[in-house]
């Protein structure tokens, strides 16, 4: 720490004007940049601007102790980020925090609830074969229309099929059973109109029980099958609590029961086989508008090489089965989001799901497919919703408190340092201006958002900034007390004050940096502000306070030690400069202890 | 200013001054007493951990006419858990409900809005799982530990290990006192408190470092003189930086007080208040410890060095000799210490007191006697 930046200080000493000009130009440039960037105010954090902030903590899963690592966390953030913003929530931000947290900030808006549901609940995506299914609950309005399904699943090819698809999907509501969505090869668009799915709705529980052992060949242990059937019979998907519990604790490798909504808005329950394809096997998915046949929106999927094989395998098996066992279910966190039919083995690595989608549905499904499988399980560990009004009030109170605190500091400085406060107060102002401008600039660049703890940090930093010139002033005064005139006093005081300032600011900065790196949540914003203001404190003292002091030391008002300058040698109790007289001094008792 | 100004001057000259190092045992005793009280308070009463550490929700409402007691009933009815309700400065309410998890929040929020007859949009909800606060705290402790190790290394390099040890003791002392006060008074511990506590680290050390810096400078060539023992010089450097310490503490406390009393007064309980409260307590403790604990402790450790022991012997011997001769050495001694800056020193020379005292004495004064 000893005497760094010697060269700079030497130049500051000889050319104070240059340093002052430098910092003023820097402020002007930064301010200009701030206005040019179009963000003249710091971006406000959720707690000040209003909105919802969700903190998700990754859960350790048994058997995978190393699952929570940087790569997986980043993948999860990526997935969540695109998913939240894919839902049309503007400017939602997703960040990791610490080693195992993800923070999702959703600015105030109508979509926050939906986004919260999406982010908070979505975790795992599987493709499972359907063993049995029926409409759950009392209202079985879905009349089966097997004829429609049989006719449409007959193998028509190419354009003809597409037309068939379009016609079948054009009037899905009439059949009220449009649940099924055809999975087709990207090129050979074989389609199975949805109607068939409701055919499955007539399948009785008994059918399902017989179906389950056959499909999941290994799970033929009768006890498990009976249990599954009991679960299935008891399951009432119209009940929210039951729905939440339906697939609870089910392993990917076991058959399970699940609920899903069909497109007519009814709850449907399923018995599903073990997961065959995982969400991670999907390379990409997109919602596409079928321009050729005007069939409406469909979802295309592309699988990874491993995924293609598995998908070819499962579709090959399923295509040979009878309805409903030629369906597979896309299960997201235990909920069936889609249950397309399969007509043939799909080996190309590409597939598409068509049906009666509107744009939102298609995009939502595509998003789920694409980003549906998070590498980790997450738990909501905190949710904060703040209305803009209250957040603004907090900011307001914080700013008022800061202004009053600043005012008190100014009064104290004026009373105590008199003329020197002409240096002290602008130093505080310059420091404040730099902090503000940099915060505003960091908003668009690194996504810095001013939150309440950060406001606190900035207010606390007033003390740190003030301390630097207090150290400097006291050093100058000490020099004057030694009998120096002002100019040499300033130059002598500076190197010593500088060292003290650097050493102590380094400690402050170290604290801020460690906190910023290690901690999570609200502490981090605070640490960032503290670190930023500490750095700025050094900049301001070197490029503003010291040069200004040097300049003012040349003024007669200060140099002559005017009574109001704060540097009056008499008031400071300085010895007369040349004559060395004995002053009374207190005895310093020798210590025996 | 004049009064304070001359106070500074007299402190600077050593005319007045408090014998911090000499009376250190008293202050050690006081600190040990406070620390024991703090630890007792911590073990007996424990900390009043906020909702963030137990899991639960804090709802903050806009202006409402519903009374606190009434709101408490409503909140307990809709959540099935104990609720604590406070009135806020703006006419709103702050409702804490312990033990609910994040899933139930929306329902309770809607219920509350209905009961309190306010728009659900105007209710802020802060829901935390039981582990979240712990996680914040754990990370904070982790950060604290890393910071302490780094800062000790840094201080040991920039200064010396004794100062690093003393600074660390002072830091632990500050944290203990602050935590102890929280336990004794029963203030609520929230993540805001943790933030405040962490800031104290930086601040407490900052203060300590400034005093150490002056101490290091003044003791640079200590073995080349025989006038002062290390403890005495330590005492001088504390007294010399006392004005700065007071000013800095005042200036740091003013904005914090503004936050605490004005910001908190307007809004009632909240993060602003939590941070500023722990800052206020911690800053005061930090200023105290850097003066009364850290520096005397350094002096204590230093005096154990053989070199310093030898110095002390020499100084005492010299004084005894002078006393025997009946010379008023004492006053001259302090005079020389202060006058020792040669006028021909360049402005950039650091540390005017680096000059061996004997050289100065000789200058223009053949006998070393003045009168």
């Amino acid at each position: 720490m000893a005497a760094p930046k010697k060269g700079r200080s030497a130049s500051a000493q000889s050319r104070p004007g240059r340093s002052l000009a430098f910092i003023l130009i820097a402020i002007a440039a930064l301010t200009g940049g701030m206005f040019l960037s179009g963000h003249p105010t710091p971006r406000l954090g959720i707690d000040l601007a209003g909105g919802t902030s969700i903190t998700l903590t990754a859960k350790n899963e048994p058997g995978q102790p190393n699952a929570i690592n940087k790569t997986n966390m980043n993948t999860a953030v990526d997935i969540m980020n695109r998913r939240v913003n894919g839902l049309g929530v503007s400017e939602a931000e997703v960040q990791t925090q610490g080693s195992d947290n993800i923070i999702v900030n959703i600015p105030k808006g109508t979509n926050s609830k939906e986004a919260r549901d999406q982010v908070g609940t979505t975790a795992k995506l599987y493709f499972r074969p359907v063993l049995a299914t029926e409409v759950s609950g009392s209202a079985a309005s879905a009349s089966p229309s097997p004829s429609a399904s049989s006719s449409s699943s007959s193998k028509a090819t190419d354009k003809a099929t597409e037309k068939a698809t379009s016609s079948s999907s054009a009037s899905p509501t009439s059949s009220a059973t449009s649940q099924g969505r055809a999975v087709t090869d990207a090129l050979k668009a074989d389609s199975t109109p949805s109607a068939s799915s409701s055919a499955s709705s007539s399948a009785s529980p008994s059918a399902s029980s017989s179906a389950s052992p056959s499909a999941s060949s290994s799970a033929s242990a009768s006890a498990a099958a009976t249990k599954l059937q009991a679960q299935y019979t008891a399951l009432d998907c119209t009940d929210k609590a039951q729905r939440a519990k339906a697939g609870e604790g089910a392993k990917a490798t076991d058959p399970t029961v699940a609920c899903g909504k069909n497109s007519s808005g009814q709850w449907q329950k399923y018995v599903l086989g073990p997961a065959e394809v995982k969400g991670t096997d999907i390379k990409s998915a997109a919602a596409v508008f079928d321009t050729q046949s005007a069939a409406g929106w469909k979802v295309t999927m592309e699988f990874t090489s491993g995924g293609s094989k598995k998908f070819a395998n499962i579709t090959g098996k399923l295509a040979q089965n009878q309805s409903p066992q030629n369906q597979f279910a896309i299960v997201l966190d235990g909920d069936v989001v889609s249950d397309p039919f399969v007509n043939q083995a799909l080996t190309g690595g590409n597939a598409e799901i068509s049906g009666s989608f509107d744009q939102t549905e298609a995009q939502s499904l595509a998003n789920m497919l694409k980003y549906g499988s998070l590498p980790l399980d997450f738990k909501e560990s905190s949710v904060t919703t703040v209305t803009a009004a209250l957040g603004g009030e907090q900011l307001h109170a914080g700013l008022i408190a800061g202004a009053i605190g600043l005012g008190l500091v100014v009064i104290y400085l004026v009373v105590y340092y008199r003329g020197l406060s002409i240096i002290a107060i602008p130093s505080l102002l310059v420091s404040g201006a730099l902090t503000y401008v940099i915060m505003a600039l960091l908003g668009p660049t690194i996504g810095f958002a001013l939150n309440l703890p950060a406001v606190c940090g900035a207010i606390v930093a007033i003390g740190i900034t003030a301390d630097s010139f207090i150290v400097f002033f006291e050093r100058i005064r000490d020099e004057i007390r030694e009998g120096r005139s002002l100019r040499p006093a300033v130059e002598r005081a500076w190197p010593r004050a500088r060292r003290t300032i650097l050493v102590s600011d380094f400690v402050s900065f170290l604290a801020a940096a460690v906190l910023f790196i290690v901690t999570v949540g609200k502490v981090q914003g605070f640490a960032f502000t503290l670190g930023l203001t500490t750095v700025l404190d050094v900049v301001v003292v070197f490029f503003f306070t010291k040069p200004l002091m040097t300049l003012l030391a040349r003024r007669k008002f200060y140099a002559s030690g005017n009574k109001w300058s704060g540097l009056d040698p008499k008031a400071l109790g300085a010895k007369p400069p040349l004559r060395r007289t004995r002053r009374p001094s207190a005895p310093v008792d020798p210590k025996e202890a | 200013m004049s009064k304070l100004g001359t106070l500074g001057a007299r402190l600077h000259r050593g005319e007045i001054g408090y014998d911090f190092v000499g009376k250190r045992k008293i202050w050690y005793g006081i600190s040990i007493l406070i620390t024991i009280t703090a630890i007792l308070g911590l073990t007996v009463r424990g900390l009043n951990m906020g909702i963030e550490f137990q899991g639960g929700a804090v709802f903050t409402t806009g202006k409402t006419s519903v009374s606190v007691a009434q709101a408490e009933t409503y909140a307990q009815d809709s959540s099935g858990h104990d609720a604590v309700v406070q009135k806020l400065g703006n006419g709103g309410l702050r409702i804490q409900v312990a033990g609910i998890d994040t899933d139930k929040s929306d329902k309770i929020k809607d219920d509350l809005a209905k009961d309190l007859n306010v728009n659900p949009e105007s209710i802020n909800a802060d829901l935390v799982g039981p582990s979240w606060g712990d996680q914040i705290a754990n990370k904070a402790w982790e950060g604290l530990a890393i910071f302490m190790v780094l800062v000790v290394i840094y201080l040991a390099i920039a200064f010396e290990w004794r100062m690093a040890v003393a600074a660390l003791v002072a830091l632990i002392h500050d944290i203990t006192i602050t935590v102890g006060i929280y336990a004794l008074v029963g203030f609520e511990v929230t993540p805001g408190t943790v933030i405040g506590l962490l800031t104290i680290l930086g601040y407490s050390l900052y203060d300590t470092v400034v005093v150490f810096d002056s101490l290091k400078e003044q003791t640079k060539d200590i073995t080349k003189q025989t006038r002062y023992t290390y403890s005495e010089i330590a005492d001088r450097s504390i007294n010399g930086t006392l004005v700065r310490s007071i000013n800095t503490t005042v200036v740091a406390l003013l904005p914090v007080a503004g936050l605490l009393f004005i910001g908190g007064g307007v809004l009632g309980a909240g993060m602003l208040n939590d941070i500023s409260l722990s800052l206020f307590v911690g800053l005061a403790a930090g200023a105290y410890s850097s003066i009364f604990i850290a520096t005397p402790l350094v002096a204590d450790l230093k005096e154990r060095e053989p070199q310093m022991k030898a110095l002390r012997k020499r100084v005492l011997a010299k004084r005894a000799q002078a006393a025997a001769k009946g010379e008023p050495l004492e006053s001259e001694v302090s005079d020389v210490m202060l006058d020792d800056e040669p006028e021909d020193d360049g402005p950039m020379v650091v540390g005017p007191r680096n000059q061996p005292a004997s050289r100065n004495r000789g200058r223009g004064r053949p006998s070393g006697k003045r009168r």
Side-chain angles (χ1 to χ4, degrees):
Chain A
M1 223 55 213
K5 302 183 183 166
K6 209 149 205 166
R8 190 183 298 167
S9 83
S11 73
Q13 170 191 328
S14 53
R15 285 187 292 271
R18 200 180 261 197
S19 296
L20 281 178
F22 170 80
I23 197 160
L24 292 177
I25 289 170
I27 292 176
L30 285 172
T31 313
M34 177 179 84
F35 282 109
L36 279 180
S37 75
H39 297 89
T41 51
R43 215 156 63 87
L44 293 181
I46 290 298
D47 58 350
L48 292 178
T52 306
S53 176
I54 306 163
T55 306
L56 299 158
T57 307
K59 274 191 297 189
N60 250 325
E61 278 178 281
Q64 287 178 290
N66 299 322
I68 301 177
N69 56 37
K70 211 162 185 171
T71 321
N72 277 349
M73 288 298 285
N74 286 341
T75 314
V77 165
D78 198 42
I79 289 169
M80 286 186 190
N81 194 8
R82 290 198 232 174
R83 196 184 296 152
V84 174
N85 289 315
L87 284 164
V89 180
S90 64
E91 288 179 39
E93 54 166 41
V94 186
Q95 303 171 309
T96 51
Q97 242 180 9
S99 55
D100 56 355
N101 291 300
I102 290 180
I103 293 241
V104 184
N105 284 330
I106 303 150
K108 59 177 185 290
T110 46
N111 275 338
S112 70
K113 203 163 187 172
E114 189 189 348
R116 183 183 159 186
D117 286 346
Q118 289 294 328
V119 168
T121 58
T122 309
K124 300 247 163 170
L125 181 83
Y126 294 115
F127 284 30
R128 287 168 177 270
V130 174
L131 304 178
T133 177
E134 67 177 314
V135 168
S136 182
S138 53
S141 68
S143 59
S145 51
S147 61
S149 87
S150 64
S151 71
S152 60
S153 60
S154 66
K155 302 223 166 111
T157 47
D158 289 335
K159 307 250 159 132
T161 335
E162 269 165 16
K163 270 178 202 134
T165 317
S166 72
S167 64
S168 68
S169 64
S171 56
T173 42
S174 64
S175 70
T177 55
S178 57
Q179 168 67 4
R181 284 155 189 170
V183 177
T184 59
D185 194 89
L187 298 169
K188 294 185 187 174
D190 285 56
S191 75
T192 9
S194 47
S196 60
S197 83
S198 58
S200 69
S201 73
S202 64
S204 65
S206 64
S208 81
S209 69
S210 65
S212 65
S214 68
S216 58
S217 55
S218 66
S220 56
S222 60
T226 323
K227 194 180 157 217
L228 197 67
Q229 194 197 340
Q231 263 185 328
Y232 181 66
T233 317
L235 183 63
D236 178 5
C237 284
T238 52
D239 183 86
K240 198 179 169 187
Q242 281 204 34
R243 219 156 54 221
K245 281 201 174 147
E248 209 171 51
K251 286 195 203 116
T253 50
D254 288 345
T256 181
V257 294
C259 292
K261 236 179 197 170
N262 62 28
S263 62
S264 54
Q266 281 167 319
W267 286 104
Q268 189 127 358
K269 57 181 176 178
Y270 300 84
V271 178
L272 301 171
E276 302 276 353
V277 179
K278 281 192 278 186
T280 42
D281 294 327
I282 301 173
K283 200 164 160 192
S284 67
V288 183
F289 188 77
D290 195 340
T291 44
Q292 272 184 305
S293 60
W297 288 88
K298 63 183 180 183
V299 178
T300 60
M301 289 183 285
E302 193 189 332
F303 290 94
T304 61
S305 57
S308 312
K309 252 176 245 156
K310 287 190 226 168
F311 192 67
N313 211 0
I314 183 183
T315 47
K317 261 195 279 176
L318 288 178
Q320 293 162 14
N321 290 340
Q322 292 294 311
S323 173
Q325 288 168 40
N326 62 349
Q327 273 176 293
F328 65 82
I330 300 172
V331 187
L332 194 58
D333 255 358
D335 290 338
V336 178
V337 293
S338 185
D339 54 352
F341 284 81
V342 179
N343 297 325
Q344 61 176 104
L346 300 170
T347 51
N350 288 304
E352 63 184 52
I353 305 173
S354 56
S356 58
F357 297 120
D358 62 18
Q359 181 178 356
T360 326
E361 282 171 358
Q363 270 171 352
S364 167
L365 181 59
N367 270 336
M368 284 174 190
L369 290 171
K370 193 169 175 186
Y371 310 120
S373 193
L374 292 170
L376 296 165
D377 269 343
F378 287 91
K379 204 179 78 196
E380 274 185 5
S381 54
S382 113
V383 181
T384 308
T385 61
V386 181
T387 65
L390 259 168
E393 216 168 306
Q394 300 247 333
L395 180 62
H396 203 62
L399 291 181
I400 290 176
I404 291 174
L406 193 63
L408 290 173
V409 169
V410 166
I411 291 170
Y412 184 81
L413 290 174
V414 169
V415 168
Y416 188 81
Y417 284 116
R418 300 198 180 184
L420 286 180
S421 58
I422 290 178
I423 300 167
I425 293 161
S427 296
L428 280 177
L429 291 179
V430 165
S431 174
L434 276 175
T435 310
Y436 180 87
V437 171
I438 288 176
M439 278 179 173
L441 279 172
L442 287 180
T445 47
I446 64 161
F448 171 78
L450 188 67
N451 56 14
L452 205 55
V455 172
C456 278
I459 292 170
V460 168
I462 295 173
I464 290 182
T465 310
D467 184 68
S468 296
F469 48 76
I470 289 177
V471 167
F472 186 30
F473 291 168
E474 288 301 327
R475 283 289 196 184
I476 294 173
R477 289 174 146 206
D478 281 353
E479 296 297 332
I480 287 174
R481 283 172 188 139
E482 303 289 350
R484 289 199 175 72
S485 58
L486 183 58
R487 279 175 71 178
V490 168
E491 296 315 322
R492 267 184 74 100
W494 173 236
R496 305 158 84 191
R498 180 183 62 198
R499 197 187 58 175
T500 309
I501 291 166
L502 285 176
V503 169
S504 46
D505 270 348
F506 180 79
V507 170
S508 263
F509 185 77
L510 192 65
V514 169
L515 287 183
F516 182 77
I517 295 166
V518 175
T519 57
V520 290
K522 295 158 179 171
V523 185
Q524 224 177 11
F526 184 79
F528 183 85
T529 318
L530 212 59
L532 177 70
T533 48
T534 307
V535 171
L536 287 179
D537 172 47
V538 175
V539 172
V540 168
V541 165
F542 272 77
F543 289 95
F544 187 81
T545 312
K546 165 63 178 51
L548 192 61
M549 187 72 232
T550 309
L551 276 187
L552 289 183
R554 295 173 187 169
R555 314 285 306 184
K556 207 175 156 233
F557 176 75
Y558 289 95
S560 67
N562 187 293
K563 211 172 118 194
W564 297 103
S565 67
L567 294 164
D568 180 7
K570 229 182 272 165
L572 290 176
K575 310 170 287 195
L578 294 172
R579 198 172 51 93
R580 298 208 158 215
T581 53
R582 223 183 123 246
R583 283 172 284 98
S585 57
V588 179
D589 297 324
K591 301 299 144 340
E592 272 16 281
Chain B
M1 171 190 95
S2 57
K3 252 188 198 162
L4 270 176
T6 44
L7 173 72
R10 289 161 70 200
L11 280 170
H12 177 74
R13 287 195 298 266
E15 283 169 24
I16 53 164
Y18 183 82
D19 186 9
F20 293 101
V21 178
K23 299 210 170 84
R24 66 185 182 278
K25 295 211 162 143
I26 299 173
W27 295 105
Y28 287 173
I30 289 175
S31 280
I32 290 170
L33 213 68
I34 297 175
T35 312
I36 290 173
T37 319
I39 292 171
L40 273 180
L42 204 57
T43 46
V44 176
R45 289 185 54 127
L47 286 171
N48 173 17
M49 299 306 262
I51 211 97
E52 287 84 352
F53 295 94
Q54 308 169 13
V58 181
F59 299 96
T60 319
T61 70
K63 213 172 188 142
T64 172
S65 53
V66 175
S67 76
V68 168
Q70 193 71 53
E72 212 157 283
T73 325
Y74 287 145
Q76 278 167 3
D77 286 350
S78 78
S79 67
H81 290 271
D82 282 348
V84 179
V85 180
Q86 291 164 284
K87 195 106 189 156
L88 296 182
N90 59 5
L93 294 173
R94 181 172 186 262
I95 303 165
Q96 284 188 23
V97 187
I100 58 172
D101 59 22
T102 48
D103 297 340
K104 292 189 196 160
S105 64
D106 287 340
K107 188 189 153 281
I108 296 172
K109 189 173 157 181
D110 290 344
D111 285 356
L112 277 176
K114 224 179 282 164
D115 291 338
L116 301 180
N117 196 20
V118 293
N119 185 352
E121 296 291 304
S122 73
I123 296 183
N124 288 347
D126 196 345
L127 299 133
V128 284
S131 59
W132 180 231
D134 283 342
Q135 200 184 354
I136 290 182
N138 284 341
K139 298 270 181 190
W141 287 120
E142 200 183 316
L144 179 63
I146 295 174
F147 172 68
M148 277 181 171
V149 171
L150 288 179
V151 99
V152 163
I153 294 171
Y154 170 71
L155 288 180
I157 294 169
F159 298 108
E160 57 173 311
W161 67 266
R162 288 173 193 82
M163 290 188 177
V165 168
L168 194 64
V169 170
L171 185 64
I172 293 170
H173 169 263
D174 294 345
I175 293 173
T176 317
I177 289 185
T178 312
V179 172
I181 287 177
Y182 265 78
L184 288 172
V185 182
F187 294 130
E188 200 182 359
V189 177
T190 66
T193 314
V194 176
I195 292 175
L197 196 68
L198 292 172
T199 318
I200 298 166
L201 325 173
Y203 233 98
S204 158
L205 279 165
Y206 185 102
D207 230 28
T208 310
V209 163
V210 171
V211 182
F212 282 1
D213 195 50
S214 144
L215 180 60
K216 185 193 174 193
E217 190 186 309
Q218 297 208 15
T219 55
K220 205 172 172 195
D221 285 314
I222 188 168
T223 49
K224 292 179 186 154
Q225 52 88 44
T226 50
R227 291 168 202 289
Y228 293 111
T229 62
Y230 192 93
S231 297
E232 285 156 16
I233 292 186
D235 216 42
R236 287 182 65 103
S237 56
I238 302 175
N239 279 302
T241 47
L242 200 57
V243 172
R244 186 220 64 97
S245 297
I246 293 168
N247 277 354
T248 306
T249 309
V250 168
V251 166
L253 280 178
L254 284 177
V256 173
L259 269 186
L260 183 58
F261 298 115
I262 301 149
V266 173
L267 288 171
M271 175 155 283
L272 279 178
N273 226 8
D274 297 338
I275 297 181
S276 47
L277 181 66
S278 62
L279 274 179
F280 197 84
V281 176
L283 280 181
Y288 163 80
S289 74
S290 63
I291 292 170
F292 290 98
I293 304 299
T295 316
L297 206 56
V298 171
D300 246 0
L301 290 170
K302 265 302 222 196
E303 290 284 1
R304 276 157 214 227
E305 264 190 341
Q307 273 179 307
M308 294 301 145
K309 271 186 187 157
L311 173 69
R312 169 171 284 268
K313 226 178 234 166
R314 288 206 302 276
V315 170
L316 292 182
K318 186 151 189 184
R319 278 186 196 151
Q321 203 184 3
K325 279 187 192 167
E327 282 176 17
L329 191 65
E330 203 63 66
S331 59
E332 190 196 332
V333 161
S334 39
D335 215 353
V336 171
M337 268 309 274
L338 292 162
D339 285 5
D340 63 356
E341 292 146 63
E343 300 299 313
D344 55 354
D345 257 4
M348 290 302 294
V349 170
V350 180
R353 292 180 185 88
N354 301 348
Q355 299 285 340
S358 54
R359 243 210 281 154
N360 287 327
R361 270 187 74 214
R363 190 160 47 88
R365 284 178 223 134
S367 71
K369 268 194 152 195
R370 256 183 207 195
R371 281 177 293 180

